[in-house]
Amino acid sequence: MSSSVKRFLLLGAAAMIAATAAGAAETGHFGYGKPASPAEIAGWNIDVRGEDGAGLPPGSGSVNKGADVFSEQCAACHGTFGEGEGRFPKLVGGKGTLKDDRPELTVGSYWPFAPTLWDYINRAMPMPAPHTLSADDVYALTAYILNLNDIVPGEFVADRDSLPKVKMPNRDSFIWTDPRPDTMAKPCMSACANPADVKISSTAEGRDLTPRTTGPLDTMQPK
Amino acid sequence: MPAVSKQADSPDPRLARRSFLGMGAALTGGLALGARPGQAEPASASPPADAPWSQSIGAGVVDRPYGRPADTEAGVIRRNVPWLTAGTESSISFSPLQNLHGIITPNGLFFERYHAGRPDVDPDQHRLMIHGLVERPLILTMQDIVRFPSVSRIHFIECPANGGMEWRAAQLNSLQFNHGMISCAEWTGVRLSTLLEEVGVKKEAKWAMVEGADGAHMNRSLPLNKCLDDCLVVYAQNGEALRPEQGYPLRLVVPGWEGNVSIKWLRRIKLGDKPWHSREETSKYTDLLPDGTSRGFTWLIDAKSVITFPCPEKPLSGPGLYEIRGLAWTGNGKVKRVDVSVDGGVNWQTARLHEPVLSKALTKFTLPWRWDGTPALLESRVIDETGYVQPTIAQLRKSRGMNSVYHNNSIQTWQVKPDGSVFDVQLG
């Protein structure tokens, strides 16, 4: 930034501070916007941290209550026991399948942190009316789904203390640093392969999976 | 499929058009396009000196006050794969790359990804809150945000699932459906670093949680150093206000990183000392490896390229001279070189890069090619400014197996058959 621009910005900030003398000590460089009050922050602050449950609110919910809430709010898409309906996600099962040819990624088989489940239900579910459940109901649903996955017993009660202590089966199978680049191709320019070895291993021709790309939108049925 | 080469030889434009439509029908499984109503066919075999539109007066200036594409371009639209997702509210649409030219995606064709449908946000009510480990928690209106110093940058956004359906095998015979989860635009807004300086970052802050105002309250964790480096909080795209599909009135743009971190309908930024491990960054946008372990926080879009002409949607019309055209990009910065092969990777030629070559933006490349009508296997391979070379699908599988779903940046192979038709294939 040039010094003249800096001077200009400083002058602008000074003018702003003079104009809003009351909050002068609180404003930033530009002084735009208004300070967020503790009450406003509390209203917006919905996030819950996966690792330690930071942000979990007061309240609690049992597995049994969760079964009732689930049948009312969730079963239509996820099945009565979390088995999934149609192409909506399964919430249960898949344990031990992560090395398989067709792994099943569910809360039980894949999710590393239990508080993340509370956060996601609270944040985004039920899909037609997100963020409308009470904290108690979200705790109850979390307990029920964990129980369906045999991660907690039937008498488990989820709350801000118990949930972070739940160890998820796949907890230790993630690395959180990106090791890429993980391919080290060399940019060969000529005679890079024997032409006789260049063979087509798969083709999309004739597979009947591709929607049309001209005319109106395709309404092809599930495959 | 009829022999495509015949249409070029036809002296009669009407015949040529019919033959073209016939080809379209064959490609699309019997879709009838029919004649365009209200438009006269040229009467003679040779092109008329004066077509009907040359002998009449046209519509006035505000006949279309916003404007729209020509009626004959009505098929150039975003499309989805209906069988891919349970519904359209948590789904993806694909840009029609086969119909686009240059590096900028028109706003109406920019790919869509929703996690809870498209909200229609009232800009007068919308607020951005910045809080957490900051000195001065702040609430900003749209009017406030527009007052900050503005910047405009051209960047691509790519969904990391782009090409994900091809991890196991060639499945979708289409450029649009195999590569259309990428688009590129000029974004205008304010640097995220400017906003963070304004609220004062506390020294314990290492991460930011960014959150949308959609029904998913879509959120992701981002390292603070990326936020301070090149992230933008934008309100305009290609010169006009963002469209609702792209996060109106406010979104984040995280250049070079997977698209889902560029949170749309941005409403909250919270600084913290650790990542949040939200559902989207634990159970969704992670990469499952063959040994059962997974990689999280694989944000970077590795270098990737694709030939956009010819492609399954745009076959060749007989032997002769063509310009192979394509797009290349890398989250690492700039594209340095693109090579093209017409024999399945045995021999390569370096393509011409077209200006501008911008950091974390689409780059256009071309290479003249005289096609002799024999079968060909077309490929492009990008090398970025870090020296990273785009891998083959076989190299990628060797490193990551078959279950990663995301971050398939492998070389695309198009098979050209003697009739000029083009198919999506993979080489063993």
Side-chain angles (χ1 to χ4, degrees):
Chain A
M1 194 182 289
S2 76
S3 61
S4 64
V5 170
K6 265 185 194 158
R7 264 201 303 280
F8 171 77
L9 290 176
L10 286 171
L11 282 173
M16 190 61 60
I17 287 164
T20 57
E26 296 295 316
T27 53
H29 187 78
F30 297 94
Y32 306 153
K34 71 178 188 82
S37 70
E40 285 168 327
I41 291 172
W44 289 52
N45 198 9
I46 63 167
D47 56 276
V48 169
R49 203 156 63 185
E51 193 177 346
D52 56 7
L56 280 170
S60 67
S62 66
V63 172
N64 279 344
K65 179 169 176 220
D68 293 341
V69 181
F70 192 91
S71 69
E72 215 171 276
Q73 300 282 356
C74 321
C77 294
H78 294 295
T80 307
F81 301 102
E83 72 276 17
E85 285 287 335
R87 285 165 292 154
F88 286 99
K90 287 182 184 182
L91 306 179
V92 172
K95 218 187 241 179
T97 68
L98 298 187
K99 297 180 194 174
D100 293 358
D101 186 40
R102 300 276 172 185
E104 259 186 26
L105 275 51
T106 71
V107 171
S109 71
Y110 198 64
W111 289 42
F113 302 109
T116 301
L117 184 54
W118 195 98
D119 179 72
Y120 183 65
I121 297 169
N122 179 59
R123 176 177 295 282
M125 292 290 126
M127 206 171 175
H131 202 217
T132 58
L133 299 173
S134 69
D136 286 347
D137 281 354
V138 178
Y139 276 118
L141 287 171
T142 306
Y144 179 64
I145 293 166
L146 292 174
N147 177 256
L148 285 176
N149 280 288
D150 296 324
I151 294 168
V152 300
E155 60 272 20
F156 179 76
V157 175
D159 60 30
R160 64 199 302 177
D161 296 317
S162 65
L163 209 47
K165 297 192 181 92
V166 173
K167 176 148 187 193
M168 301 295 278
N170 200 39
R171 167 70 179 84
D172 298 325
S173 298
F174 288 82
I175 59 150
W176 298 102
T177 50
D178 189 348
R180 291 177 299 161
D182 56 358
T183 58
M184 306 294 168
K186 295 274 186 285
C188 168
M189 292 305 286
S190 59
C192 305
N194 182 347
D197 294 338
V198 176
K199 291 200 169 67
I200 291 172
S201 56
S202 68
T203 175
E205 186 179 4
R207 296 199 70 169
D208 195 26
L209 291 170
T210 317
R212 62 184 173 229
T213 56
T214 56
L217 287 173
D218 207 322
T219 54
M220 65 198 300
Q221 293 305 300
K223 296 285 168 185
Chain B
M1 181 175 299
V4 180
S5 57
K6 278 181 187 160
Q7 80 174 60
D9 302 327
S10 169
D12 184 338
R14 287 172 302 174
L15 291 179
R17 201 169 84 83
R18 283 181 194 137
S19 145
F20 172 76
L21 292 176
M23 188 184 71
L27 278 176
T28 57
L31 172 72
L33 291 179
R36 297 192 291 272
Q39 189 171 316
E41 290 283 344
S44 62
S46 60
D50 267 344
W53 50 83
S54 303
Q55 293 184 321
S56 55
I57 190 162
V61 287
V62 287
D63 178 55
R64 297 172 176 177
Y66 185 83
R68 62 170 193 259
D71 293 344
T72 44
E73 299 290 317
V76 181
I77 51 176
R78 294 183 287 233
R79 292 168 187 276
N80 65 329
V81 178
W83 52 261
L84 194 62
T85 50
T88 54
E89 295 85 5
S90 181
S91 192
I92 189 99
S93 75
F94 301 78
S95 285
L97 299 181
Q98 69 277 9
N99 301 109
L100 301 184
H101 309 270
I103 64 169
I104 296 293
T105 311
N107 289 340
L109 299 175
F110 204 99
F111 83 94
E112 304 156 285
R113 170 70 169 112
Y114 309 144
H115 296 77
R118 183 204 66 226
D120 289 314
V121 177
D122 178 350
D124 290 338
Q125 291 185 44
H126 189 71
R127 298 289 184 272
L128 173 65
M129 179 185 279
I130 309 177
H131 69 113
L133 294 177
V134 303
E135 303 291 347
R136 295 173 293 276
L138 202 58
I139 294 180
L140 297 166
T141 64
M142 287 306 300
Q143 286 182 326
D144 294 330
I145 288 163
V146 174
R147 285 176 71 183
F148 282 97
S150 66
V151 291
S152 295
R153 300 263 188 279
I154 294 174
H155 291 302
F156 72 80
I157 294 181
E158 183 182 25
C159 175
N162 203 14
M165 287 175 284
E166 306 273 302
W167 260 106
R168 289 171 179 275
Q171 293 211 86
L172 293 170
N173 200 47
S174 158
L175 171 64
Q176 182 163 11
F177 293 120
N178 282 341
H179 287 81
M181 291 189 217
I182 187 165
S183 299
C184 185
E186 184 202 56
W187 307 100
T188 298
V190 53
R191 286 187 190 87
L192 179 51
S193 63
T194 302
L195 298 180
L196 293 179
E197 282 162 24
E198 181 70 3
V199 296
V201 175
K202 289 190 173 173
K203 65 175 188 302
E204 314 91 84
K206 296 284 180 287
W207 290 79
M209 195 272 324
V210 286
E211 182 179 271
D214 58 329
H217 299 79
M218 173 71 186
N219 73 326
R220 291 296 313 260
S221 306
L222 288 171
L224 188 61
N225 56 11
K226 178 67 174 176
C227 297
L228 295 174
D229 176 21
D230 60 357
C231 292
L232 304 173
V233 173
V234 309
Y235 40 80
Q237 177 182 357
N238 292 332
E240 66 176 2
L242 288 171
R243 294 199 174 185
E245 291 90 331
Q246 297 306 325
Y248 179 82
L250 195 66
R251 78 174 297 171
L252 191 64
V253 171
V254 183
W257 285 16
E258 58 186 24
N260 57 82
V261 296
S262 287
I263 295 288
K264 301 195 280 193
W265 314 289
L266 181 69
R267 73 162 198 168
R268 192 162 69 105
I269 299 169
K270 181 181 179 181
L271 300 194
D273 58 348
K274 291 177 184 170
W276 273 257
H277 291 117
S278 72
R279 179 256 198 180
E280 305 300 340
E281 55 206 25
T282 53
S283 78
K284 289 296 159 190
Y285 296 105
T286 53
D287 309 321
L288 177 58
L289 301 176
D291 65 359
T293 66
S294 296
R295 293 175 184 172
F297 295 151
T298 47
W299 301 288
L300 181 78
I301 295 291
D302 269 328
K304 189 168 172 181
S305 70
V306 66
I307 290 171
T308 57
F309 176 82
C311 67
E313 292 94 332
K314 297 285 178 187
L316 299 174
S317 54
L321 184 62
Y322 290 93
E323 186 174 68
I324 292 174
R325 296 172 182 160
L327 295 167
W329 60 99
T330 172
N332 276 320
K334 288 182 181 174
V335 166
K336 192 171 84 185
R337 193 178 102 197
V338 176
D339 302 323
V340 170
S341 173
V342 298
D343 57 12
V346 176
N347 299 291
W348 296 83
Q349 290 170 268
T350 297
R352 177 185 155 215
L353 300 186
H354 291 243
E355 293 292 337
V357 178
L358 300 170
S359 183
K360 300 161 193 173
L362 292 182
T363 296
K364 178 180 166 174
F365 66 85
T366 57
L367 183 76
W369 178 43
R370 187 169 292 282
W371 183 48
D372 60 7
T374 60
L377 293 167
L378 305 187
E379 297 185 331
S380 65
R381 174 183 71 189
V382 61
I383 303 167
D384 72 22
E385 63 178 336
T386 70
Y388 175 83
V389 181
Q390 186 182 7
T392 63
I393 186 71
Q395 287 164 335
L396 212 52
R397 287 195 189 116
K398 202 171 160 194
S399 171
R400 296 185 216 158
M402 300 276 221
N403 293 325
S404 274
V405 179
Y406 302 107
H407 297 292
N408 176 4
N409 67 319
S410 64
I411 288 171
Q412 170 70 48
T413 308
W414 298 129
Q415 176 196 26
V416 179
K417 293 197 175 183
D419 67 358
S421 58
V422 178
F423 293 92
D424 168 39
V425 299
Q426 291 183 356
L427 303 182

